[in-house]
Amino acid sequence: MSNFYQRVRRAITPGSADDQRVNDAGGERDAVRTDGGVVNEDSRSPDSESGSLDRLAAGIDGLLGSDFLESSIFWVPPFLLMGLFVYGAVIWNFLISLTDYQRFANAPDYSNLDFEMYTRALADSGFIDAAVNTFILLVAFTAGTLAVGLILAILIDRGIRFENSFRTIYLLPMSLSFVVTAQFWLWIYNYNNGIANRVIGLVGVGPISWLGNQTIVLWAVIFALMWQFSGYAMVVYLAGLRAIPDEHYEAAKVDGASTLKMYWRVIIPQLKGATISAAVVLMVFGMKAFDFLYSLVGGYRPPNGADILATKMVREAYANLNWAYGAAIAIVLFAMALGVIGPYLVYEYRRNNL
């Protein structure tokens, strides 16, 4: 047992390692008996439990690493807090989704748990529409943002003038909050005085009710989100392009490849890691589009045709006070998030990056 505490002490106190070496040296000198014998380790530690704990610690070290026990005092407290306030809350939310809890009249009844809220969701046309809109938003927003970011990164990587200025301009919208972005695009999409209608009016088109037409409102929201996050994709791709050796470009040119073929067949395939990382982050941002839609209309009900699972979840929980139904929608969103992040974590683990 003393050996375990000494290892923990060495992890906390930098100077304790030197003291331990001195004590070990002194212990070796004391281990020599005057009659020529040698003191056995077990004879100095009559507590047999110490040997068992030492063997247990050695087994844990062999399985999880030599610094697992020493570092536990640093990672166990935040691990417990994370488990209580994050994953504990997720489990509690899942239990609420199995009840019929509504309003604030009584506490949830956990004696009769079932999946009624999930079957209700599958039979709810509003939930189905919100799920479809969420899927369209994630796919279109992620693919469009990656495409715009890649084009911008290629243009900047070719050594244009004022490169730093353009990079700052493209990245600046990402620093804005969803609230600011929503107000900005609410002004642009204004039916009477918006810039969008003024621009298309120059070619004799419009005006168009960008936020009132349920056929195009979702695409208007996607375009606004692409404007905000294309700078992030540009930075990720630019870092990937700068990591590709110049020899690859030169070899492609020597083989007679055109610029388009060089990027399509040689350069872009080497950006697989950057594409996966950026896509995961963008999908997470897409799932958090509730802030944008809420600020766009100033309420829980987004424009017709732009309702997503996040807005429906909040509306059911806080406007209609259907807590169990809102919790079920939240669990569906959580499962979608796991479906996005889970494969990415497996991919990084197989590359030994985790």
Side-chain angles (χ1 to χ4, degrees):
M1 187 69 176
S2 61
N3 291 340
F4 172 72
Y5 286 121
Q6 288 172 359
R7 294 167 60 190
V8 174
R9 182 187 173 195
R10 288 199 303 269
I12 302 176
T13 308
S16 62
D18 298 334
D19 299 338
Q20 179 64 27
R21 286 193 293 269
V22 173
N23 293 336
D24 291 344
E28 292 177 359
R29 289 194 297 268
D30 295 339
V32 181
R33 290 172 41 178
T34 56
D35 59 356
V38 178
V39 178
N40 194 330
E41 179 68 23
D42 294 337
S43 65
R44 289 184 305 176
S45 50
D47 188 6
S48 60
E49 185 178 341
S50 174
S52 300
L53 290 176
D54 290 341
R55 288 192 296 271
L56 177 61
I60 294 176
D61 287 347
L63 181 63
L64 301 175
S66 59
D67 58 348
F68 179 80
L69 291 177
E70 289 87 343
S71 63
S72 61
I73 58 176
F74 300 104
W75 61 262
V76 166
F79 177 81
L80 294 177
L81 292 175
M82 179 71 71
L84 175 62
F85 292 106
V86 177
Y87 300 106
V90 172
I91 295 174
W92 187 26
N93 188 83
F94 176 69
L95 292 177
I96 292 178
S97 70
L98 300 179
T99 65
D100 299 324
Y101 186 44
Q102 292 182 343
R103 304 185 182 278
F104 294 102
N106 300 304
D109 182 14
Y110 298 108
S111 61
N112 186 19
L113 303 179
D114 53 42
F115 293 91
E116 179 183 353
M117 294 300 151
Y118 294 94
T119 57
R120 173 182 171 182
L122 294 177
D124 184 3
S125 60
F127 173 84
I128 300 299
D129 292 340
V132 172
N133 289 339
T134 302
F135 179 77
I136 294 175
L137 186 146
L138 291 180
V139 174
F141 162 67
T142 303
T145 305
L146 290 176
V148 174
L150 178 60
I151 294 173
L152 293 175
I154 292 176
L155 293 176
I156 293 179
D157 185 57
R158 296 185 65 84
I160 62 175
R161 296 182 61 185
F162 308 110
E163 172 186 335
N164 293 333
S165 300
F166 281 111
R167 187 165 49 189
T168 303
I169 292 173
Y170 292 139
L171 189 60
L172 182 61
M174 186 183 173
S175 64
L176 303 177
S177 67
F178 276 132
V179 177
V180 176
T181 305
Q183 296 303 313
F184 177 74
W185 281 95
L186 185 63
W187 172 61
I188 292 179
Y189 288 146
N190 185 273
Y191 182 81
N192 296 317
N193 302 314
I195 296 179
N197 280 333
R198 288 183 177 272
V199 171
I200 64 175
L202 297 176
V203 293
V205 180
I208 297 176
S209 180
W210 299 97
L211 302 180
N213 189 338
Q214 64 180 5
T215 305
I216 63 174
V217 60
L218 183 61
W219 299 103
V221 171
I222 292 173
F223 184 82
L225 295 176
M226 286 173 53
W227 171 84
Q228 183 171 10
F229 291 101
S230 60
Y232 166 77
M234 177 204 67
V235 171
V236 175
Y237 276 129
L238 187 59
L241 290 172
R242 296 287 167 85
I244 298 176
D246 294 336
E247 290 78 4
H248 294 193
Y249 295 89
E250 297 174 357
K253 293 179 180 178
V254 169
D255 291 339
S258 62
T259 302
L260 181 60
K261 289 185 177 181
M262 177 183 67
Y263 277 100
W264 181 255
R265 297 184 179 181
V266 179
I267 305 303
I268 293 180
Q270 300 185 59
L271 299 176
K272 177 182 177 181
T275 301
I276 294 176
S277 300
V280 171
V281 174
L282 290 174
M283 286 187 179
V284 173
F285 279 127
M287 292 182 184
K288 297 166 61 178
F290 166 80
D291 300 353
F292 181 86
L293 292 172
Y294 179 85
S295 302
L296 199 63
V297 297
Y300 294 141
R301 180 67 192 183
N304 291 332
D307 196 16
I308 61 175
L309 287 178
T311 54
K312 184 171 179 58
M313 172 194 69
V314 176
R315 188 170 63 252
E316 291 292 342
Y318 293 99
N320 302 332
L321 298 182
N322 294 325
W323 297 105
Y325 190 36
I329 299 175
I331 292 299
V332 173
L333 264 177
F334 180 72
M336 290 182 63
L338 286 182
V340 171
I341 300 176
Y344 172 72
L345 294 178
V346 173
Y347 170 77
E348 291 294 324
Y349 177 77
R350 290 179 176 177
R351 296 179 61 190
N352 296 324
N353 290 335
L354 292 178

